[in-house]
Structures are given as structure tokens and as C-alpha cells.
Amino acid sequence: MLQFLDHFLDSLNPSHTTFRVYIFAAIILIFSLIIFRTILKMVKFIYAYIINARRLRCFPEPPRRSWLLGHMGLIKNTEEGLLVVDSLVKTYIYACSWWFSLCYPIVRLFHPSSIKPILQVSAAIAQKDELFYGFLRPWLGDGLLLSHGEKWGRHRRLLTPAFHFDILKNYVKIFNQSTDIMLAKWRRLAVEGPVSLDMFEHVSLMTLDTLLKCTFSYDSDCQEKPSDYITAIYELSSLVVKREHYLPHHFDFIYNLSSNGRKFRLACKKVHKFTAGVVQQRKKALQETGAEEWIKSKQGKTKDFIDILLLSKDEDGNQLSDEDMRAEVDTFMFEGHDTTASGLSWILYNLARHPEYQEKCRKEITELLEGKDTKHLEWDELSQLPFTTMCIKESLRLYPPVTAISRRCTEDIKLPDGKVIPKGNSCLISIYGTHHNPEVWPNPQVYDPYRFDPEKLQERSAHAFVPFSAGPRNCIGQNFAMAEMKIVLALTLYNFHVRLDETKPVRRKPELILRAENGLWLQVEELKS
Ligand code: HEM
């Protein structure tokens, strides 16, 4: 190295010895500074790491798999993985620490009193955690689910009116019609008697159809023809979870070269092509009518989601960029149909396991529909299904479509028992764990809709049941989803019996959404009278 420097200086100015000495000294000094800074940074990092690890000791820690891997790989995204979560919750009740490899700790929270402080605090203090959500970014962009800071606040304010009750009321007709299409298909398939169907397949197409019609005024006919979009969504959800669980694939350059990385890119392309088509169609219609006319035609009426996206302007009069619009469309398209499909599929499964509750729901629905000309539900009638609503909520408790969410704390967060989640750490808010916590829900594995008897509500914390999360970043579409689930369930039970298919055992599969390994197969049989 020194020899090289000497040659280098020779070539600069061989005659000037003093100058050479100065340059030489300066270079040595710079190198020393760089080395010193690197060492200082490492010392700082190790010091911060030790202090943080010490502070995290207030949380109990389950035995690690090894000193290097920490707890990595102990919870798989399978039925067995969920059983491990059950046993963690039973053992630690409130929270525990968890290490991904040697250096990445998270705090797992699974009690209403532990999740409440994180969910209630402002979105700037409990931010979305990049490790958990970052892999979704190439697919969902910087939409409402993943954005933060000012942008998130602006878009949340912009889009909230699209989910006002006055708008949701208009969607009830579409919920009824989309369910009719699904049930007509079931009728054709079950014409010769009971038939076994994968609920996820049928219900996902129906919820996608509904979402496209409601929020994008787009008639895709997707229930009648195979959907590349749905296949790609399934693939993306599963690939994202696989990536989370395999450390080398956390690095973009390795992932991009892997076969899963290639599959991910291809599936993203398919999804983006579909969403771009939806936006383009509506943009064209708007251009043909002209923005002025369009707004006039909406006077007195409420604007839907895509109207808001296309017509909104910021303080400076700028419209949403194409990229922002695409991100919001991708986010709502995924969040809006897959979660509801999971919720509905598991509700039907639970009612198939409990024919007595199924019958009780059917009686309630029949009393409501009997004597009406159209066997459709109206908005005002949704509040007249108390038992059916209890069954839906109990299913969302036992099988929450979103099993966990994650946050990174930008400040220390104190829990009611005095423990502190130190600033800079990530925490995993386990919705599944909170819903299965025996301290909060006696016999948590039992499906018992009477837990949601309105009279029992006072007995529990408001954070004991959080399928839609809570606080500033709760689910913007929860009223949409509840209304849709009530209508789909009511019409389905009014027309069909659902039973378990004993030949196809059900195993849960927690991916981005709680699915079933190899599908969720139920026998459906049309009710004749
Ligand atoms: C049963 C159905 C649904 C469930 C269980 C559900 C659950 C959730 C949960 C747990 C979150 C919080 C995610 C997080 O913090 O990381 C969330 C956020 C969100 N949900 Fe839902 N959701 C459902 C239906 C819907 C529907 C129908 C839509 C739209 C039409 C929707 C749109 C969104 C959006 C945009 C966010 C992000 C909100 C924000 O960060 O400001 N969801 N949902």
C-alpha cells in the first residue's frame, strides 16, 4: 500500500520532496480517520445493541433455537405455527421478546392491555415497520396501507369520505347482486345434489366482483371467467411470506436473482396490468364527459372511491400522480377483496361445524326475508340480524383474516404494567394471539357466538377484539366489509345448507391473510323450500 502511494506521488511531482511528505501525511491521516470513524460506529452500534438488549430483558424470552438464529424458524406459517403462537400466549399472557437471528429483536404483543398503547398512539410514533411491510412495496406501492407521514394523513383524509354510510348504502344492491351470481353458480354445480366447493375460490371471485363494481364502477364479469388477477394475488401473498421467512432473500439483489424473485416480478406485472386497465377505463369515461360535466352530474350525489382519486387536488391544485393513483388502486383492490373473502370463508366453515348456530341464523334471516317480494336485504335491515352478526364476530375472533400487524416505535412506549418498549424497536401486534388469549377469552378455541351478546360487551376491553385493528391506522373499509359479510351470509344461508366435507380436512395457513392449506372445502346443498 505504502509502496503504491510512493509510486503515485512520484508520478505527481517527483522533484518536490516536502510536497510529497505533506500529501503522504494527509493520505495517512484520512485513512486513519476513516478507520477511526468505522471503529467508533461499530463501538456505538455494539453499545446501543447491548443497552437495547438489556432494556428488552423486562420482557420474558422463550428459549432460542440457537445463539445465531435466535427464534428464527420456530413459528412457521402453518397450522403447527399457529399452535406455537397459542402456546406462547398461554405461557406469557401479555408479551415476550423474540429474536430474528442474533441482532434483530421484536416484541410480540398478545394482550389487550399490551396492544392498546401501541394502537392508540399517533401514527408518527408507531410507524409501519419496513421489515414486515417493505416486501409488499413493489406490489402495493406507497398506498394507504404502506405510506406514512404527511402523505398518509393527506390520503387518509381524502379517502375517508368514500366509506361514509351515505356511500355504503348505495352498495347494498351490488352486494346482493354479486351474491346472487355466486349462488346461481352454486345452483348449477349442485343441481344433482350436494357438491363440495372450495369456499376461498368462489368467495374471492365474488368479493372481487363486488369491490370492482362498488369502488371502481367496473363490471369485470370475473365470477364467470377464470381470473389471472386472483391467481397472481395468491402467488404474491405466498411469495411475500416465504421471503419474510428466508433471511438471504431479505437482500434485494439475492432475491431478484432467485426463481421466487422472478415469479414475484411476473405476478406483480400481471396485477399492475389489471389495475391499470381498471383506472384507464374510468379515466377515459371521465375524459369523454369532461371533468366539469362529471362533477355536475355528481351534484347532490356522493362521489365514490375512484371519483375521489381522479378528481382530487392538493392545496396547490395538483392532481394525484399516476403512481400515487396506481398505488391506492392496488392497495384497495387487494385489501378490499382478499380480507373479506377470508372472513366469509371462515364464517361459513364455522357455521358448517356448528349446524345448530347455522339453523338459528337461517331462522333469523328467513323471518326477515319472508313476505318480501325480492329476497334481497336493504341497508336498514342489516341491524335486524343480531344473532347472525354475533356469529360473524365470533368467527372473526377465532379466525381473524389479518393475523398480525407490525409497528416500529419512534419513541419509548410504556405499557400499563410498567414495562417499556424501547425506542427504535419493532413490535408484532398479534391479532390472532389477542383473540386466543385465555386470560381474555375463556376456552378460546371454542366457537361460541354468545360471547358477543351485547350485554357482555362491558365485561371486556375494547381492544380484546380487533380484527380491523384500532386507532388512527385502523381499517378504513371495516363498515364496508361488515355490511358485505352480513348480506352474503344471509343470502347464502337462505338458499343453501353448508356442511363439512369430511374427506378434506381443513388446515389453517397464515399468510398475509389467513387462508386454508389446499383450500377450504365445504359441501353445499340447495334448500328446496
Ligand atoms: C373482513 C375484512 C377486513 C379485515 C379483517 C381487515 C383488516 C384490516 C387490518 C387489520 C388493517 C390494519 C393493517 C395494518 O395496520 O397494517 C387494515 C387496514 C386497511 N384496510 Fe382493511 N380489512 C378488511 C376489509 C377491508 C376493505 C373491504 C377495505 C377497502 C375497501 C379495506 C382497506 C384497508 C386499507 C386501505 C387499510 C390501510 C389503512 C391505513 O393504514 O390507513 N379493508 N384492514
Side-chain angles (χ1 to χ4, degrees), residues 128 133 144 152 156 335-336 339 405 407 467-468 473 475:
K128 294 273 168 120
Y133 295 90
L144 207 56
W152 168 77
R156 178 93 192 195
E335 275 285 325
T339 44
I405 57 178
R407 296 288 184 271
F468 299 103
R473 294 211 69 157
C475 174

Side-chain angles (χ1 to χ4, degrees), residues 128 133 144-145 152 156 163 211 215 331-332 335-336 339-340 343 396 401-402 405 407 431 467-469 472-477 480-481 485:
K128 294 273 168 120
Y133 295 90
L144 207 56
L145 183 73
W152 168 77
R156 178 93 192 195
F163 293 89
L211 188 83
T215 50
T331 299
F332 277 79
E335 275 285 325
T339 44
T340 320
L396 291 175
V402 178
I405 57 178
R407 296 288 184 271
I431 296 177
F468 299 103
S469 181
R473 294 211 69 157
N474 69 352
C475 174
I476 198 171
F480 180 106
M485 287 191 290

